[in-house]
Amino acid sequence: MITIAGAGLAGLASAYELAKRGVPVRIFEAADQIGSASAARYAGGMLAPWCEAESADEAVISLGKTAAQWWAQITKVTRRGTLVVAPPRDSNELRRFADRTVQHKQCDGSKIAVLEPSLAGRFSCGLHFDQEAHLNPRRALADLARAVQALGVEITLGRPAPARVDLNCTGIKAGLTELRPVRGEMAILRAPDLQLTRTIRLLHPRFPLYVVPHGDNHYMVGATMIESNATRPPTLRSLSELFAAAYTLHPGFAEAAVIETGAGLRPAFPDNLPRLTWEGGTLYFNGLYRHGFLLAPAYAAQAATQLISETAHAHLC
Amino acid sequence: MQLYDQTVDSRLLLGTAQYPSPDILTRAIGESGTEVITVSLRRETAGGSGTRFWDILRSQNKRILPNTAGCHTAQEAITTAKMARDLFETNWIKLEVIGNADTLQPDVFGTVEAATALCADGFDVFPYTTDDLIVAEKLVDAGCRVLMPWGAPIGSGQGIRHPDALRAMRAHFPDITLIVDAGIGRPSDASKAMELGMDGVLLNTAVAKAGDPIAMAHAMSLAIQAGRISYQAGAMEPRDMAVPSTPILGLAELV
């Protein structure tokens, strides 16, 4: 029996990989509900390794490019790619983005109108990353919890984990050396006036934005990246910047209903890549940063392999 | 280079925002050879009680120059400066009072007002200002011994837009430490600033947003050194006419 602390993205994905390999698993989650205290709650749900590599280590591509396939076994994944656009004044940003990324196709205004009719006439050039995908993060987390339970994993809610567990996936609460919080602020909007079908990134030197369609006219707009441990609600400045950028993307957002705003802390290591580290007989899986849905599958598989070989080793001794 | 009562060897001051990761930031700091790093207070706190990111900056063993980036009034900047003094245990403050949200031009009136109050309160003020001589004079009157004129708007990467204004500033303030802050896009811009006689250069985006920030930090460091040596060596003045670099007297007569 493998015990896991934390039923967030890292804990559930690891449980799934372990259970698939026939290992009995029990997860302890301090919160009363799946995902209610998880950083994944505030995620966009982008499976966009090629876009992310613009500012992240190349490893996000090799580790993240099969994530969409992995998630498709568990939840609804929309595989329509990412469209990256910039206002005419900031077309240099688009050039810079194109220089630093691969796997994209240049689009002119008419191609953009075909891809996203809602954006027709608004942008004259863009980049289409057609291999990328997105999902609805909260639905995905709930579906993942159901999938692991179907595999026989026991999830205990509302109870902190015992002092010693095999796998610790408690995010920023793990208090690991070098782990730091990166605050993110986001909003969920309901905008019936527009029909965006894929993730849109709006490049801007100061207020970059992404919009992820979560279905039923709901859009997640995000997200700020602030080196802070503050857990208070989003600031007016952050929200006005996000909303102004959303309005620049499409004036239809002006009439959108603000369904929710929120702020979460992403756990990150200094290289902004996740880590699996052993400490006192416990494996720590942490540091998913802004790449939770993208990198959790690959690291969960590695965590399962390590735990299985460690357990086998322990039985031999 | 003299920064109030401190002497530093490196003439590059490096900002710490917008890097792809803290790892790349710390390696860029190392590669740049800088002795002074700036840190933004206002935005990064968001009401929190200090951050792990600051611990990373503190562990670099560089002098920390906190800034008041994002402040739009003198009062806001003064409050932020006092907070910075407590947090980083330094009297140094890079004073930014922004006058326009789009162009991020300094509000020179607010800057002079805040500089006056902060100097009187014992701060060593590094004011971000334009290249206007009269504003610079008021800042020196307020007690500033370092001035930080812009090369171009913050983050624009346009380089030195008005070289003559900076040259005039050098002539007008021979004993004040002049550091070009804002607008540097590439190493040749930094060299140019140094060739105009500036004492140093402060930059951030040009390194942080480069394809390889670590290599760019190195390039900036070399460019600043080259520009400084060039200024001291006394560069030739441009001429309208071509002048052969090889003397033509004494050529062999091949008859």
Side-chain angles (χ1 to χ4, degrees), chain A residues 96 206 228 232 237 270 272, chain B residues 20 23 42 45-46 51 101 209:
Chain A
R96 179 183 181 278
R206 280 155 73 189
S228 167
R232 65 172 178 153
R237 181 197 295 230
N272 288 346
Chain B
D23 245 9
R42 195 171 189 286
T45 49
T51 72
K209 291 289 183 189

Side-chain angles (χ1 to χ4, degrees), chain B residues 190-214:
Chain B
S191 274
K192 183 160 194 180
M194 297 306 292
E195 287 186 350
L196 292 168
M198 297 295 105
D199 294 287
V201 167
L202 191 160
L203 52 87
N204 186 344
T205 316
V207 167
K209 291 289 183 189
D212 180 344
I214 301 160

Side-chain angles (χ1 to χ4, degrees), chain A residues 48-58 60-61 93 96-102 129 201 203 290, chain B residues 20 209-211:
Chain A
W50 292 280
C51 279
E52 285 298 313
E54 182 259 338
S55 60
D57 195 287
E58 296 266 308
V60 298
I61 296 178
E93 297 294 317
R96 179 183 181 278
F97 201 90
D99 284 348
R100 308 251 165 99
T101 51
V102 293
F129 292 76
R201 288 183 185 232
L203 302 183
R290 56 180 275 165
Chain B
K209 291 289 183 189

Side-chain angles (χ1 to χ4, degrees), chain A residues 49-50 52-53 56-65 273 291 294-295:
Chain A
W50 292 280
E52 285 298 313
D57 195 287
E58 296 266 308
V60 298
I61 296 178
S62 54
L63 293 165
K65 64 184 175 192
L273 287 174
H291 301 130
L294 183 62
L295 298 184

Side-chain angles (χ1 to χ4, degrees), chain A residues 47 75-81 132-136 197-198 213:
Chain A
L47 302 171
T75 191
K76 186 188 169 209
V77 174
T78 308
R79 308 182 81 155
R80 292 181 60 79
E132 297 190 335
H134 71 266
L135 46 72
N136 178 321
T197 64
R198 52 173 65 70

